[in-house]
Amino acid sequence: MRIAIAGASGRMGRMLIEATSRDEGARLVAALDRPDSAAIGEDAAAFLGSPAGVPISSDVDAALAGADFLIDFTRPEATLAHLEACRRHNVKMIIGTTGFSEAQRARLVEASRDIAIVFAPNMAVGVNAVFRLLDVAARILNSGYDVEVIEAHHRMKVDAPSGTALRMGEVVADALGRSLADCAIYGREGHTGERQDTTIGFSTIRGGDIVGDHTVLFAGLGERIEITHKSASRMPYALGSLRAARWLVSRDSGLYDMQDVLGLR
């Protein structure tokens, strides 16, 4: 698999480069970054002590000309610009970017008519196993339990709640026959009154270098059930992305997520 990576000098970009370098079935062929990045021109894998012979570039079209896949964990605006370039070059995408608006998500759907895309709020296999566990738990605990989603991330994260937390809320809401848009509570302050039975609450923590912690709490009378996933590093996201790329090899178009990749539908 010929892999191009966006955001190559960032923390996630470097983890993707490391994972690609270790994967015998993958080859790093391009590394992209912003035009104003101080890393432009540097070897993308120099930080590993084993240069890859791939300089970091801001020329998207040149980078994609020799790639089969672009893995993108950047920002919505950058990802959408890369999306159009991938359509021009018939390059498949693995997108881990979060914070898209509904209008921006619609552009992913439109592009998927031309190219194959895996778009997921979290690429880690363990997190996607948790999504399935939440679906089962919510169907069992469908009455008499209050649901709260608590997430924590590093101080540099710019969107809240996290895409993973929102997806957890969506999974629970769907299992309960609700719409998250109608039942989500994203903040409490002051005299809020009693909690409504049908709401799903979200709590967000930002601090330090926390990679990503997520807990869904089902609180009933006399008991609590907590389903938690904690990330110690970004490597699970990178490994999941490469697994998604391998799954996309045989697909020419369509919009998929990690539940498709893992056969959990």
Side-chain angles (χ1 to χ4, degrees), residues 146-148 178 183-185 188 195-201:
D146 298 322
V147 183
E148 296 285 321
R178 305 173 194 167
C183 68
I185 301 295
R188 297 185 179 99
R195 190 188 197 284
Q196 299 299 306
D197 292 341
T198 58
T199 58
I200 296 176

Side-chain angles (χ1 to χ4, degrees), residues 5-15 17 30-34 39 44 47 56-57 74:
I5 292 171
S9 67
R11 287 167 295 186
M12 191 63 220
R14 287 191 166 197
M15 193 62 74
I17 289 168
L32 290 165
D33 217 332
R34 302 185 315 273
F47 70 96
I56 297 175
S57 168
T74 57

